[in-house]
Coordinates of all heavy atoms in Angstrom, one line a residue:
S1 N 0.0 5.0 -7.4 CA -0.4 4.0 -8.3 C -0.4 2.7 -7.7 O 0.4 2.4 -6.8 CB 0.4 4.0 -9.6 OG 1.8 3.8 -9.3
Y2 N -1.3 1.8 -8.1 CA -1.4 0.4 -7.6 C -0.4 -0.5 -8.3 O -0.4 -0.5 -9.5 CB -2.9 0.0 -7.8 CG -3.1 -1.5 -7.6 CD1 -2.8 -2.1 -6.4 CD2 -3.8 -2.2 -8.6 CE1 -3.1 -3.5 -6.3 CE2 -4.1 -3.6 -8.4 CZ -3.7 -4.2 -7.3 OH -4.0 -5.5 -7.1
D3 N 0.3 -1.3 -7.5 CA 1.2 -2.3 -8.1 C 0.6 -3.6 -8.0 O 0.6 -4.2 -6.9 CB 2.5 -2.2 -7.3 CG 3.6 -3.2 -7.9 OD1 3.3 -3.9 -8.8 OD2 4.7 -3.1 -7.4
S4 N 0.1 -4.1 -9.1 CA -0.7 -5.4 -9.1 C 0.2 -6.6 -9.2 O -0.3 -7.7 -9.1 CB -1.6 -5.4 -10.3 OG -0.9 -5.3 -11.5
T5 N 1.5 -6.4 -9.2 CA 2.5 -7.6 -9.3 C 2.7 -8.3 -8.0 O 3.2 -9.4 -8.0 CB 3.8 -7.1 -9.9 OG1 4.4 -6.2 -9.1 CG2 3.6 -6.5 -11.3
L6 N 2.4 -7.7 -6.9 CA 2.7 -8.2 -5.6 C 1.7 -9.3 -5.2 O 0.5 -9.2 -5.5 CB 2.7 -7.2 -4.5 CG 3.8 -6.1 -4.7 CD1 3.6 -5.0 -3.7 CD2 5.2 -6.7 -4.6
K7 N 2.1 -10.4 -4.6 CA 1.2 -11.5 -4.2 C 1.0 -11.3 -2.7 O 2.0 -11.0 -1.9 CB 1.9 -12.8 -4.4 CG 2.2 -13.1 -5.9 CD 0.9 -13.2 -6.7 CE 1.2 -13.6 -8.1 NZ 0.2 -13.2 -9.0
G8 N -0.2 -11.5 -2.2 CA -0.5 -11.5 -0.8 C -0.6 -10.2 -0.2 O -0.9 -10.1 1.0
C9 N -0.4 -9.1 -0.9 CA -0.6 -7.8 -0.4 C -1.0 -6.8 -1.5 O -0.9 -7.1 -2.6 CB 0.7 -7.3 0.4 SG 2.1 -7.2 -0.7
I10 N -1.4 -5.6 -1.1 CA -1.7 -4.6 -2.0 C -0.5 -3.6 -2.0 O -0.1 -3.1 -0.9 CB -3.0 -3.9 -1.6 CG1 -4.1 -4.9 -1.5 CG2 -3.3 -2.7 -2.6 CD1 -5.4 -4.3 -0.9
G11 N 0.1 -3.4 -3.1 CA 1.2 -2.5 -3.2 C 0.9 -1.2 -3.9 O 0.1 -1.1 -4.8
F12 N 1.5 -0.1 -3.4 CA 1.3 1.2 -3.9 C 2.7 1.8 -4.2 O 3.6 1.8 -3.4 CB 0.5 2.1 -3.0 CG -0.9 1.7 -2.8 CD1 -1.3 0.9 -1.8 CD2 -1.8 2.1 -3.7 CE1 -2.6 0.6 -1.6 CE2 -3.2 1.8 -3.6 CZ -3.6 1.0 -2.6
K13 N 2.8 2.4 -5.4 CA 4.0 3.2 -5.7 C 3.6 4.7 -5.5 O 2.6 5.1 -6.0 CB 4.4 2.9 -7.2 CG 4.9 1.5 -7.4 CD 5.2 1.3 -8.9 CE 5.6 -0.2 -9.1 NZ 5.8 -0.5 -10.5
V14 N 4.5 5.4 -4.9 CA 4.3 6.8 -4.6 C 5.4 7.6 -5.2 O 6.6 7.3 -5.1 CB 4.3 7.1 -3.1 CG1 4.1 8.5 -2.8 CG2 3.2 6.2 -2.4
D15 N 5.0 8.7 -6.0 CA 6.0 9.6 -6.5 C 6.8 10.2 -5.4 O 6.3 10.7 -4.4 CB 5.3 10.7 -7.3 CG 4.8 10.3 -8.6 OD1 5.0 9.1 -9.0 OD2 4.0 11.1 -9.3
G16 N 8.2 10.1 -5.5 CA 9.0 10.6 -4.5 C 9.5 9.6 -3.4 O 10.2 9.9 -2.5
L17 N 8.9 8.4 -3.5 CA 9.3 7.4 -2.6 C 9.8 6.2 -3.4 O 9.1 5.7 -4.3 CB 8.0 7.0 -1.8 CG 8.2 6.1 -0.6 CD1 9.0 6.8 0.5 CD2 6.8 5.8 0.1
A18 N 11.0 5.7 -3.0 CA 11.7 4.7 -3.8 C 11.0 3.3 -3.6 O 10.9 2.5 -4.5 CB 13.1 4.6 -3.4
R19 N 10.6 3.0 -2.4 CA 10.1 1.7 -2.1 C 8.6 1.6 -2.4 O 7.9 2.7 -2.4 CB 10.4 1.2 -0.7 CG 9.8 2.1 0.3 CD 10.2 1.6 1.7 NE 9.5 2.2 2.8 CZ 8.2 2.0 3.1 NH1 7.5 1.0 2.5 NH2 7.6 2.6 4.0
V20 N 8.0 0.4 -2.5 CA 6.6 0.2 -2.6 C 6.0 0.1 -1.3 O 6.5 -0.6 -0.4 CB 6.4 -1.1 -3.5 CG1 4.9 -1.4 -3.5 CG2 6.9 -0.9 -4.9
I21 N 4.9 0.7 -1.0 CA 4.2 0.6 0.2 C 3.3 -0.6 0.1 O 2.5 -0.8 -0.8 CB 3.3 1.8 0.5 CG1 4.2 3.1 0.7 CG2 2.5 1.6 1.8 CD1 3.4 4.4 0.8
K22 N 3.5 -1.6 1.1 CA 2.7 -2.8 1.0 C 1.7 -2.8 2.1 O 2.0 -2.6 3.3 CB 3.6 -4.0 1.2 CG 4.7 -4.1 0.1 CD 5.6 -5.3 0.3 CE 6.7 -5.3 -0.7 NZ 7.7 -6.3 -0.4
I23 N 0.4 -3.1 1.8 CA -0.7 -3.2 2.7 C -1.2 -4.6 2.6 O -1.4 -5.2 1.5 CB -1.8 -2.2 2.3 CG1 -1.3 -0.8 2.0 CG2 -3.0 -2.3 3.2 CD1 -0.8 -0.2 3.3
S24 N -1.5 -5.2 3.8 CA -2.1 -6.6 3.8 C -3.4 -6.6 3.0 O -4.2 -5.7 3.1 CB -2.3 -7.0 5.2 OG -3.1 -8.2 5.3
S25 N -3.6 -7.7 2.3 CA -4.8 -7.9 1.5 C -6.0 -8.0 2.4 O -7.1 -7.7 2.0 CB -4.7 -9.2 0.7 OG -3.7 -9.1 -0.3
Y26 N -5.8 -8.4 3.7 CA -6.9 -8.5 4.6 C -7.2 -7.2 5.3 O -8.2 -7.2 6.1 CB -6.5 -9.6 5.7 CG -6.2 -10.9 5.0 CD1 -5.0 -11.5 4.9 CD2 -7.3 -11.7 4.5 CE1 -4.7 -12.7 4.3 CE2 -7.1 -12.9 3.9 CZ -5.8 -13.4 3.8 OH -5.6 -14.6 3.2
S27 N -6.4 -6.2 5.2 CA -6.7 -4.9 5.8 C -8.0 -4.3 5.2 O -8.3 -4.5 4.1 CB -5.6 -3.9 5.6 OG -4.4 -4.3 6.2
S28 N -8.7 -3.5 6.1 CA -9.8 -2.8 5.6 C -9.4 -1.6 4.7 O -8.2 -1.3 4.8 CB -10.7 -2.3 6.8 OG -10.0 -1.3 7.4
V29 N -10.3 -1.1 4.0 CA -10.0 0.1 3.2 C -9.5 1.2 4.1 O -8.5 1.9 3.8 CB -11.2 0.5 2.3 CG1 -10.9 1.9 1.6 CG2 -11.6 -0.5 1.3
T30 N -10.2 1.4 5.2 CA -9.8 2.5 6.1 C -8.4 2.3 6.7 O -7.6 3.3 6.6 CB -10.8 2.6 7.3 OG1 -12.1 2.8 6.8 CG2 -10.5 3.7 8.2
S31 N -8.1 1.2 7.2 CA -6.7 1.0 7.7 C -5.7 1.0 6.5 O -4.6 1.5 6.8 CB -6.6 -0.3 8.5 OG -6.8 -1.5 7.6
G32 N -6.1 0.7 5.4 CA -5.2 0.7 4.2 C -4.8 2.2 3.9 O -3.7 2.5 3.7
Y33 N -5.8 3.0 3.8 CA -5.5 4.4 3.4 C -4.8 5.1 4.5 O -4.0 6.0 4.3 CB -6.7 5.2 2.8 CG -7.8 5.6 3.7 CD1 -7.6 6.5 4.8 CD2 -9.1 5.1 3.6 CE1 -8.7 6.9 5.6 CE2 -10.1 5.5 4.4 CZ -9.9 6.4 5.4 OH -11.0 6.7 6.2
E34 N -5.1 4.7 5.8 CA -4.4 5.3 6.9 C -2.9 4.9 6.9 O -2.0 5.8 7.1 CB -5.0 4.9 8.2 CG -6.4 5.6 8.5 CD -7.1 5.1 9.7 OE1 -6.7 4.0 10.2 OE2 -8.0 5.8 10.2
E35 N -2.6 3.7 6.6 CA -1.3 3.2 6.5 C -0.5 3.9 5.4 O 0.7 4.3 5.5 CB -1.2 1.7 6.4 CG 0.2 1.1 6.6 CD 0.1 -0.4 6.7 OE1 -0.9 -1.0 7.0 OE2 1.2 -1.0 6.4
V36 N -1.1 4.0 4.2 CA -0.5 4.7 3.1 C -0.2 6.1 3.5 O 0.9 6.6 3.2 CB -1.3 4.6 1.8 CG1 -0.7 5.5 0.7 CG2 -1.4 3.1 1.3
A37 N -1.2 6.8 4.0 CA -1.0 8.2 4.4 C 0.1 8.4 5.4 O 0.9 9.3 5.3 CB -2.3 8.7 5.0
R38 N 0.2 7.5 6.4 CA 1.3 7.6 7.4 C 2.7 7.4 6.7 O 3.6 8.1 7.0 CB 1.2 6.5 8.5 CG 0.2 6.9 9.6 CD 0.3 5.9 10.8 NE 0.2 4.5 10.5 CZ -1.0 3.9 10.4 NH1 -2.1 4.6 10.6 NH2 -1.1 2.6 10.1
E39 N 2.8 6.4 5.8 CA 4.0 6.2 5.1 C 4.4 7.4 4.3 O 5.6 7.8 4.2 CB 3.9 5.0 4.2 CG 3.8 3.7 4.9 CD 5.1 3.2 5.5 OE1 6.2 3.6 5.1 OE2 5.0 2.4 6.5
V40 N 3.5 8.0 3.6 CA 3.7 9.2 2.8 C 4.2 10.4 3.7 O 5.2 11.0 3.4 CB 2.5 9.6 1.9 CG1 2.7 10.9 1.3 CG2 2.2 8.5 0.9

């Protein structure tokens, strides 16, 4: 799920992961999903 409360970055909450994954707002969609996938 997308966490819209963060400023300057795109945050994602993942079931089973306590922390929020933060992606730079300037990242491309591709690098964003790659980063989330690596974190997961």
Side-chain angles (χ1 to χ4, degrees):
S1 60
Y2 167 55
D3 182 355
S4 61
T5 62
L6 298 174
K7 301 290 184 203
C9 62
I10 302 169
F12 290 97
K13 294 178 183 174
V14 176
D15 288 351
L17 194 60
R19 65 180 188 78
V20 174
I21 298 173
K22 297 176 184 174
I23 308 296
S24 169
S25 299
Y26 299 108
S27 293
S28 68
V29 171
T30 302
S31 63
Y33 70 68
E34 287 173 344
E35 191 170 338
V36 171
R38 278 193 306 273
E39 292 284 338
V40 169

